[in-house]
Amino acid sequence: MKQSILNLVLSSSMLLAVATHAGDKVDYPDGYRTWTHIKTMVLHKGHPLENPFMGIHHVYGNAKAVEGMKSGRFDDGTVLVFDLLEYMTSDNASTEGDRVLVGVMVKDNSKYLSTGGWGFEGFAGDSSAKRLVDDDGKSCFDCHAAEHEHDYVFTRWRD
Amino acid sequence: MKQSILNLVLSSSMLLAVATHAGDKVDYPDGYRTWTHIKTMVLHKGHPLENPFMGIHHVYGNAKAVEGMKSGRFDDGTVLVFDLLEYMTSDNASTEGDRVLVGVMVKDNSKYLSTGGWGFEGFAGDSSAKRLVDDDGKSCFDCHAAEHEHDYVFTRWRD
């Protein structure tokens, strides 16, 4: 009888754990525009990642992200932002246009163990509510897995 | 006699003022890479400013610069940085290369009155010592003068 109750309690805990995991949504990175700008890149038409990443993107990081860039390991609490804008060229000058999406990686080894300790999310345009990732970051992680020696982060610090 | 001494003192002060003005070099903006990234633009071959500004440039500002961007008036102590890097394209992706120059604007209405209250300087490549401006910023200001309604600053804040 005691064993049955214990089993019941354990099962409930596990269900709760799974439920909590599924609810671990990545927050919109409020204030990231004043965080450290790490690097910029432009993906043009014809690039393998043009859908959905065509345009000019800036990568921003909070203080822990900047530390991690230098050591190659990122502590829990690290937040990296991939800020994608339209990229327009005329008269031999290219400028930034409307925001396409805001991609976010948040490090939390307990919450996001199955995706390398990183939570992934995307927010459409200027919205902090319209979410773009619907598979708990599995498809994001499939691509980032190639960077396992740099804690699954593509971006490198440059001075 | 008293008047003569007063004249002598005044003349000496004026000479000192002129000497001080000529020595008001703009400092290298230590730490600007962690200041706020304001915007980015790419100038291609054929652009009127290709020499010397061809490449990808990021504009960074200290806290006073960000305040000024929003009000359109910049307080003394504002520092804006124009960080110019090489821009290379291959396989439908464009990336940042070596640093070409670091341009700086510093606001000080008493020091730089003849150039709109702004001190201008450029530093070659990654050097904080090799200076590029040899006319006290007059040629820089000639171009920036067009932006007199925005306190001589071309860059605008974007969210």
Side-chain angles (χ1 to χ4, degrees):
Chain A
M1 178 61 181
K2 276 186 180 171
Q3 189 60 40
S4 300
I5 290 171
L6 184 61
N7 284 347
L8 185 67
V9 169
L10 280 175
S11 302
S12 303
S13 301
M14 287 162 74
L15 278 171
L16 189 64
V18 170
T20 304
H21 180 81
D24 283 335
K25 295 288 190 194
V26 170
D27 291 332
Y28 185 82
D30 287 318
Y32 75 87
R33 281 288 287 109
T34 60
W35 295 356
T36 297
H37 169 236
I38 299 171
K39 63 163 268 189
T40 291
M41 195 170 168
V42 181
L43 302 187
H44 305 278
K45 195 166 177 59
H47 188 276
L49 299 176
E50 71 169 299
N51 182 10
F53 297 135
M54 188 169 76
I56 184 167
H57 67 257
H58 306 297
V59 178
Y60 299 93
N62 64 2
K64 286 187 174 180
V66 176
E67 287 168 27
M69 283 288 154
K70 294 172 182 179
S71 69
R73 308 306 300 178
F74 297 86
D75 287 341
D76 278 9
T78 293
V79 185
L80 284 161
V81 174
F82 176 100
D83 192 11
L84 180 65
L85 309 171
E86 290 176 358
Y87 180 79
M88 294 107 51
T89 300
S90 67
D91 296 333
N92 297 313
S94 298
T95 53
E96 302 163 324
D98 289 343
R99 180 161 284 113
V100 179
L101 62 83
V102 173
V104 188
M105 288 176 69
V106 175
K107 191 70 182 277
D108 188 319
N109 278 304
S110 54
K111 283 184 182 171
Y112 308 114
L113 193 59
S114 66
T115 47
W118 290 99
F120 295 88
E121 187 54 275
F123 296 90
D126 288 313
S127 173
S128 59
K130 284 187 204 161
R131 291 171 178 269
L132 297 169
V133 173
D134 56 9
D135 65 353
D136 284 334
K138 286 181 187 63
S139 55
C140 304
F141 184 64
D142 283 349
C143 192
H144 281 263
E147 289 292 319
H148 57 91
E149 291 192 356
H150 192 243
D151 207 356
Y152 308 109
V153 172
F154 283 98
T155 299
R156 301 289 189 275
W157 177 257
R158 62 161 179 78
D159 285 326
Chain B
M1 178 63 181
K2 275 185 180 168
Q3 189 61 40
S4 300
I5 290 172
L6 184 63
N7 284 346
L8 184 68
V9 169
L10 280 174
S11 301
S12 302
S13 301
M14 287 162 75
L15 278 171
L16 189 65
V18 170
T20 304
H21 179 82
D24 283 334
K25 295 288 191 193
V26 170
D27 290 333
Y28 184 83
D30 288 318
Y32 76 87
R33 280 287 289 109
T34 60
W35 295 356
T36 297
H37 169 236
I38 299 171
K39 64 163 267 190
T40 291
M41 196 170 168
V42 181
L43 302 187
H44 305 278
K45 195 166 176 58
H47 188 276
L49 299 175
E50 71 169 299
N51 182 9
F53 297 134
M54 188 169 75
I56 184 167
H57 67 257
H58 306 298
V59 177
Y60 299 93
N62 64 2
K64 285 187 176 181
V66 176
E67 287 167 27
M69 284 288 156
K70 294 171 182 178
S71 69
R73 307 306 301 177
F74 296 86
D75 287 342
D76 278 9
T78 294
V79 185
L80 284 162
V81 174
F82 177 101
D83 193 10
L84 180 65
L85 308 171
E86 290 176 358
Y87 180 80
M88 294 108 49
T89 300
S90 66
D91 297 333
N92 297 314
S94 298
T95 52
E96 302 163 325
D98 289 343
R99 180 161 284 113
V100 178
L101 62 82
V102 172
V104 188
M105 286 176 70
V106 175
K107 191 70 183 277
D108 188 320
N109 279 304
S110 54
K111 284 184 182 172
Y112 307 115
L113 192 60
S114 66
T115 48
W118 292 98
F120 295 87
E121 186 55 276
F123 296 90
D126 288 312
S127 173
S128 58
K130 285 187 204 159
R131 292 172 178 268
L132 297 169
V133 172
D134 57 8
D135 64 354
D136 285 334
K138 286 181 186 65
S139 55
C140 304
F141 183 65
D142 283 349
C143 193
H144 281 264
E147 290 292 320
H148 57 90
E149 291 192 356
H150 191 242
D151 208 356
Y152 309 109
V153 172
F154 284 98
T155 298
R156 301 292 189 275
W157 178 257
R158 61 160 180 77
D159 284 326

